[in-house]
C-alpha cells in the first residue's frame, strides 16, 4: 500500500520483520528464566496517526526517554508517527497480535470492543473539558481502563488517557450556525456506528472512514468534510479541502494509550509496573502540550484561510441527538449518572 503523504507505508510483513522486540522476547522464551527476562533489551514499537511534534507523539516519546533512563537503555520506545503503520483499526490489530506494543488511539473506536467506552463517546456527555479531565483522572477513568485490560478477547492493556479537546464540524460548503445547516452534508466520522448515528441524527450524512482515508475522501468529494479538534484539522492541513470550521463541540473524546497484552504478559512484573508508572506521567505531560497546541493550531489554521465560527445555541444540537443517547446510553444509566455527578 502506498501512502502518498508519507511515502511507502509499511505492510504487515514489514511490521512482523521489524519485530515486536521480537528477537528479545524469543530469547526470553528460550531461556525461560526470570534473570534473562530482566536483562532482555527491548525496543517497544509505538505508533500514532499524528506526526512528530503532535502532543500525543511527543508525550509517548518522552515516556520512552524515561524508560531508557530508568533501565539504563534496556527498554526504549521507537515511534512510528504519521500513520506509517496504518489507521487506528490497523494499529489495534497489530497491537493485538504483538506486532507493535504501544498504540495511541482515540477512545472512539474502542466503543464496539468495550461498550462502556461508548459513554465517553456520547455527544455532549461532558459539561466541559475540566469535567472530562476529572472523569478520566478519577475512579471512572481507571475502571474503564481496567475493563479493557481484563477483557477476555480484546488483547490490549489500557495504560492511560490523553486530551483531545472538542470535536467541531468542518466542511467545504458553508458555515454551520444552526443544526439545519448540516442537512445534506456528507461528513466523515470515526469507525464506530455511534458516530454515524450521531451525524445522521443531526441531519447530516455520516460516513464511516479511517482517518488515513480522509484527505482522499475530501479530494474526491466522497465527503464534504469531517469533524475534529483544532490540532488534527491543522496538522492534517484539512483546511485546504474544507475551510468552514464551525465550533459545534458535539463530541469530547479522550485519547487512550493501549499496550499489546501479548507483549505485556511476556515482560517482568517490574517492567510492567514501570510502564504503568511512566504512562500515568505521560497523561499529565501530554495535557500541558495539548493546551499550547490547541492555541497554536487555532492561530495557524486561521492564518491558512480557515473560516471559524462559533455556534451560540447548542441546545437544538443536544436535542437532536436524543435517539443516540437512547440507543447507546440506556444500558449504561448508572455510569452516566456517576459521570454527571462528578463536579
Ligand atoms: C483525532 C485523534 C485520532 C483519531 C482521529 C480521527 O487524535 O486518534 O484517529 O481524531 O478522527 O482527534 O480518526
Amino acid at each position: 500500500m502506498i501512502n502518498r503523504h508519507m511515502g511507502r507505508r509499511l505492510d504487515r510483513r514489514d511490521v512482523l520483520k521489524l519485530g515486536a522486540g521480537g528477537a528479545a522476547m524469543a530469547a526470553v522464551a528460550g531461556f525461560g528464566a526470570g534473570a534473562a527476562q530482566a536483562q532482555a533489551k527491548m525496543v517497544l514499537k509505538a505508533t500514532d496517526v499524528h506526526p512528530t511534534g503532535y502532543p500525543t507523539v511527543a508525550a509517548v516519546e518522552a515516556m520512552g526517554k524515561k524508560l531508557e533512563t530508568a533501565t539504563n537503555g534496556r527498554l526504549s520506545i521507537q515511534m512510528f508517527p504519521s500513520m506509517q503503520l496504518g489507521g487506528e483499526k490497523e494499529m489495534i490489530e497489530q497491537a493485538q497480535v504483538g506486532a507493535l506494543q504501544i498504540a495511541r488511539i482515540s477512545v472512539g473506536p474502542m466503543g464496539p470492543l468495550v461498550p462502556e467506552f461508548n459513554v465517553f463517546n456520547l455527544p455532549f456527555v461532558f459539561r466541559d473539558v475540566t469535567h472530562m479531565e476529572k472523569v478520566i483522572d478519577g475512579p471512572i477513568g481507571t475502571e474503564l481502563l481496567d475493563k479493557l485490560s481484563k477483557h477476555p478477547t480484546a488483547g490490549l492493556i489500557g495504560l492511560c488517557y490523553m486530551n483531545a479537546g472538542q470535536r467541531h464540524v468542518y466542511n467545504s460548503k458553508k458555515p454551520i450556525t444552526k443544526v439545519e445547516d448540516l442537512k445534506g452534508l456528507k461528513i466523515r466520522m470515526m469507525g464506530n456506528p455511534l458516530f454515524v448515528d450521531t451525524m445522521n441524527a443531526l441531519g447530516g450524512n455520516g460516513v464511516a472512514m479511517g482517518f488515513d482515508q480522509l484527505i482522499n475522501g475530501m479530494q474526491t468529494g466522497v465527503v464534504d468534510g469531517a469533524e475534529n479538534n483544532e490540532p488534527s484539522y491543522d496538522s492534517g492541513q484539512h483546511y485546504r479541502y474544507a475551510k468552514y470550521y464551525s465550533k459545534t463541540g458535539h463530541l469530547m473524546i479522550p485519547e487512550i494509550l493501549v499496550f499489546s497484552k501479548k507483549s505485556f504478559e511476556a515482560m517482568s512484573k517490574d517492567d510492567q509496573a514501570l510502564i504503568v508508572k511512566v504512562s500515568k506521567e505521560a497523561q499529565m505531560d501530554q495535557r500541558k502540550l495539548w493546551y499550547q497546541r490547541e492555541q497554536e493550531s487555532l492561530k495557524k489554521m486561521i492564518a491558512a484561510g480557515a473560516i471559524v465560527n462559533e455556534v451560540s445555541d447548542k441546545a437544538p444540537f443536544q436535542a437532536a441527538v436524543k435517539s443516540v443517547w437512547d440507543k447507546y446510553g440506556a444500558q449504561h444509566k448508572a455510569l452516566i449518572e456517576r459521570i454527571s455527578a462528578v463536579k
Side-chain angles (χ1 to χ4, degrees):
M1 265 186 281
I2 303 289
N3 183 326
R4 219 169 325 128
H5 301 279
M6 319 299 162
R8 180 174 172 276
R9 185 203 274 180
L10 305 177
D11 68 21
R12 181 164 309 201
R13 264 162 312 158
D14 293 324
V15 172
L16 292 171
K17 245 189 289 164
L18 279 166
M25 288 207 281
V28 171
F31 277 82
Q37 196 167 22
Q39 284 157 18
K41 200 171 159 107
M42 259 185 94
V43 179
L44 306 172
K45 289 175 59 193
T47 190
D48 198 307
V49 297
H50 296 300
T52 303
Y54 196 91
T56 50
V57 176
V60 171
E61 284 171 346
M63 196 175 133
K65 292 278 170 290
K66 285 185 190 174
L67 286 178
E68 274 186 69
T69 309
T71 62
N72 287 323
R74 186 174 51 80
L75 294 183
S76 60
I77 289 181
Q78 184 179 11
M79 171 59 75
F80 293 83
S82 303
M83 300 188 264
Q84 283 176 39
L85 305 185
E88 303 211 323
K89 188 170 165 284
E90 291 78 18
M91 288 161 51
I92 294 170
E93 287 166 4
Q94 290 164 45
Q96 286 171 325
V97 298
L100 62 82
Q101 282 63 57
I102 302 175
R104 200 291 311 154
I105 55 181
S106 168
V107 163
M110 287 280 107
L113 213 53
V114 176
E116 284 80 358
F117 274 126
N118 263 347
V119 175
F120 288 176
N121 292 331
L122 284 171
F124 304 106
V125 69
F126 299 113
R127 290 186 300 274
D128 50 31
V129 176
T130 311
H131 181 211
M132 187 277 294
E133 288 177 351
K134 282 203 175 140
V135 171
I136 60 173
D137 293 349
I140 298 175
T142 309
E143 273 170 42
L144 265 59
L145 288 178
D146 288 349
K147 270 219 159 41
L148 173 61
S149 307
K150 295 201 177 107
H151 189 285
T153 57
L156 301 170
I157 300 287
L159 285 181
C160 69
Y161 297 98
M162 292 186 178
N163 278 41
Q166 282 181 286
R167 296 176 77 97
H168 307 292
V169 174
Y170 48 93
N171 79 95
S172 59
K173 309 268 188 223
K174 59 182 175 195
I176 308 300
T177 56
K178 48 188 191 315
V179 72
E180 290 76 23
D181 294 332
L182 282 165
K183 202 167 167 45
L185 290 180
K186 293 171 284 181
I187 303 294
R188 175 268 170 176
M189 305 299 287
M190 278 192 279
N192 174 342
L194 183 154
F195 300 127
V196 171
D197 286 346
T198 298
M199 185 43 64
N200 293 348
L202 288 168
N205 296 330
V207 181
M209 191 184 270
F211 195 58
D212 52 332
Q213 306 297 314
L214 175 56
I215 289 188
N216 191 42
M218 291 191 289
Q219 277 173 332
T220 55
V222 170
V223 291
D224 301 309
E227 41 83 66
N228 220 317
N229 51 47
E230 293 86 343
S232 297
Y233 178 75
D234 160 43
S235 78
Q237 300 190 354
H238 295 172
Y239 46 78
R240 293 172 59 184
Y241 316 95
K243 68 175 175 183
Y244 297 105
Y245 189 87
S246 307
K247 302 195 78 176
T248 47
H250 53 288
L251 291 169
M252 196 186 294
I253 307 175
E255 315 276 32
I256 183 172
L257 204 61
V258 296
F259 202 94
S260 162
K261 193 183 255 184
K262 194 167 177 212
S263 305
F264 200 73
E265 285 176 349
M267 299 179 85
S268 70
K269 289 274 171 277
D270 286 350
D271 283 353
Q272 290 176 352
L274 178 64
I275 287 168
V276 169
K277 175 177 170 283
V278 292
S279 68
K280 298 294 172 212
E281 294 167 9
Q283 178 159 331
M284 295 303 151
D285 293 345
Q286 189 266 356
R287 192 165 292 176
K288 288 186 213 111
L289 299 173
W290 178 259
Y291 284 121
Q292 285 168 20
R293 180 62 175 243
E294 252 184 345
Q295 293 310 315
E296 287 164 15
S297 288
L298 184 63
K299 281 195 202 126
K300 267 180 65 188
M301 60 200 236
I302 291 173
I307 299 169
V308 179
N309 71 281
E310 297 294 330
V311 175
S312 51
D313 187 10
K314 301 265 177 68
F317 289 79
Q318 289 173 342
V321 294
K322 186 180 175 300
S323 58
V324 177
W325 278 70
D326 292 345
K327 183 166 169 188
Y328 297 93
Q331 64 272 47
H332 303 298
K333 265 213 166 95
L335 179 58
I336 292 171
E337 271 163 28
R338 282 176 65 207
I339 290 178
S340 56
V342 173
K343 293 285 176 265

